[in-house]
Amino acid sequence: MHSKTHPVHSSAEALRYPWESHPGEDQVVEVAPGVLWLRLKLPFRLNHVNIYLLADGDGWTAVDSGFGNEESIAAWTRLLEGPLQHVKIARLIVTHSHPDHVGLAGWIVERFNCPLLMSQVEYLQSVYHQNRGSEERLNAQRQFFRRHGMDETLTDKLLGRGQDYLKRVSILPPSYRRISHGDEIQIGSRRFKVITGGGHALDQVMLYCASDKLFLSADQVLSKISPNVSVWAVEPDQNSLGEYLASLASLTTTLPYDALVLPGHGVPFYGLKTRIKQLADHHEERCRMIAEACLQEPKTSAQLVPVVFHKHALDPHQMGFAAGELIAHVNYMLVEGRLTAEAIDGVFHYRTT
Ligand SMILES: [Zn+2]
């Protein structure tokens, strides 16, 4: 892209992965002076999460905590007795409320007696996840999936998955310190700007250090996979995909093309703008598939899932995400005026305008 007007940028904008291999279970990799990268295993197809440690005076600021299970605690303990022996965590920043990121916040805060920093929305969302599973909420979710044409068997599977997944956290610390979009935080010798964005989570925290061009992108921009962008029963008309695309557009205009991106999953990379374009194109491609499928006759979300996700056989965990993602695309297209909705027997049917 821009090859005529910006010949210098074109090769720099290509995706580059300086560390093609990731740290092993008992390893830590220094990706920049005073920036350590480690990864913890996850019991899903997405099988790991990245944690970053930022030198912070005598201590370290940890970014994200890992999933709340015994294996992650064992992995942290091995690292803290091995390559991280010298590390005292002075602050914990959690980027968002998903259990692979916030899961061990309670454990770390207790072990190091350190403060937890989160955006207000993500902290409250974590509290909300920890108290889920009431009968009223299950009924609301059932009704939501029914409106999208999902049958009862599938709905039961999806609900089983959700309860199990989102509650896998250690007890959330009862207090936190708020960080908000636009804040500046001094971490050791570096100054980081707090950027938040919606779409994958409600108000996910990213950190950008302009002097060293380091961008901790959390799950908003991942190196090789597309972050889940979903709509759930709690806010059935949410335009999460619109929010996500707006966040990507803002990142691409405010951040430089040659920042080192440190994502929540996958490997660090260069080529932020190229990656953002790929992610936006990927969603546009899905919208085109939906528009095409709803051209001749109206379709439900349940009927559209196999149109968009035809390549994969989905287990219930993935199916839950696929249904939520599909509805996110449909809601976005409704807002954009590309689809209209009609309820037939209480089930939404979509038609291309
Ligand atoms: Zn994640």
Side-chain angles (χ1 to χ4, degrees):
M1 65 205 254
H2 311 314
S3 55
K4 280 184 188 140
T5 44
H6 301 288
V8 180
H9 286 193
S10 59
S11 65
E13 281 176 6
L15 282 169
R16 254 184 334 114
Y17 308 97
W19 296 270
E20 201 47 73
S21 69
H22 54 78
E25 270 180 75
D26 299 314
Q27 290 173 326
V28 172
V29 169
E30 186 171 54
V31 290
V35 181
L36 305 180
W37 168 34
L38 52 119
R39 62 157 56 186
L40 299 175
K41 273 194 190 158
L42 293 176
F44 314 114
R45 190 146 165 248
L46 173 58
N47 62 8
H48 70 276
V49 59
N50 293 328
I51 312 281
Y52 299 97
L53 296 173
L54 309 172
D56 190 6
D58 294 341
W60 295 76
T61 288
V63 179
D64 284 332
S65 68
F67 194 64
N69 63 2
E70 292 304 321
E71 291 82 346
S72 299
I73 291 177
W76 260 120
T77 307
R78 275 196 306 275
L79 288 164
L80 289 166
E81 286 167 0
L84 297 181
Q85 250 174 12
H86 61 292
V87 163
K88 185 185 173 317
I89 296 177
R91 284 188 282 191
L92 171 64
I93 295 176
V94 167
T95 58
H96 61 297
S97 61
H98 296 165
D100 43 337
H101 301 266
V102 77
L104 286 182
W107 184 80
I108 289 178
V109 161
E110 192 179 307
R111 179 170 174 134
F112 291 97
N113 190 24
C114 66
L116 166 68
L117 283 69
M118 289 181 80
S119 73
Q120 184 184 40
V121 170
E122 292 300 329
Y123 180 78
L124 294 177
Q125 183 73 358
S126 305
V127 176
Y128 170 78
H129 284 324
Q130 210 156 57
N131 294 298
R132 61 189 286 115
S134 69
E135 207 43 45
E136 291 91 336
R137 287 193 57 189
L138 284 176
N139 285 338
Q141 286 166 309
R142 254 190 210 104
Q143 210 171 48
F144 172 71
F145 285 126
R146 204 177 295 139
R147 283 209 184 101
H148 283 285
M150 318 271 165
D151 67 43
E152 298 293 321
T153 328
L154 178 58
T155 302
D156 282 342
K157 274 191 199 156
L158 297 184
L159 295 182
R161 173 207 68 83
Q163 301 314 307
D164 202 39
Y165 174 66
L166 287 162
K167 287 188 100 170
R168 298 304 294 269
V169 297
S170 59
I171 299 297
L172 190 72
S175 70
Y176 79 110
R177 294 183 191 172
R178 191 195 303 183
I179 46 175
S180 308
H181 183 79
D183 286 356
E184 304 238 335
I185 318 181
Q186 189 74 31
I187 301 177
S189 60
R190 295 189 174 98
R191 219 166 163 71
F192 284 87
K193 194 175 164 124
V194 175
I195 303 171
T196 68
H200 174 69
L202 293 173
D203 193 37
Q204 179 169 223
V205 165
M206 297 161 265
L207 296 169
Y208 179 60
C209 170
S211 57
D212 291 341
K213 292 188 179 173
L214 291 174
F215 178 45
L216 284 86
S217 63
D219 284 3
Q220 201 75 337
V221 186
L222 297 176
S223 57
K224 291 181 179 174
I225 58 168
S226 176
N228 177 269
V229 175
S230 284
V231 167
W232 305 111
V234 64
E235 194 183 347
D237 298 332
Q238 189 189 5
N239 183 12
S240 10
L241 181 55
E243 290 168 37
Y244 181 64
L245 294 174
S247 167
L248 290 186
S250 154
L251 293 175
T252 210
T253 50
T254 53
L255 298 182
Y257 68 91
D258 58 348
L260 174 62
V261 185
L262 305 173
H265 305 275
V267 292
F269 65 96
Y270 289 101
L272 175 65
K273 292 182 193 229
T274 304
R275 186 64 191 131
I276 285 176
K277 184 167 186 315
Q278 288 176 349
L279 291 166
D281 287 351
H282 161 78
H283 288 293
E284 181 50 35
E285 171 62 21
R286 288 183 165 180
C287 289
R288 271 199 294 267
M289 292 162 102
I290 292 169
E292 164 110 17
C294 297
L295 202 55
Q296 301 303 336
E297 57 183 58
K299 295 223 164 43
T300 66
S301 294
Q303 290 168 331
L304 289 167
V305 166
V307 172
V308 172
F309 297 93
H310 58 94
K311 277 176 254 158
H312 329 277
L314 303 170
D315 65 29
H317 182 82
Q318 297 165 305
M319 183 62 204
F321 284 129
E325 285 235 15
L326 194 282
I327 298 166
H329 286 80
V330 159
N331 283 2
Y332 169 70
M333 293 173 75
L334 288 170
V335 171
E336 296 293 309
R338 294 165 71 174
L339 290 179
T340 55
E342 186 193 352
I344 303 172
D345 295 330
V347 176
F348 296 124
H349 288 68
Y350 303 102
R351 194 188 280 278
T352 300
T353 54

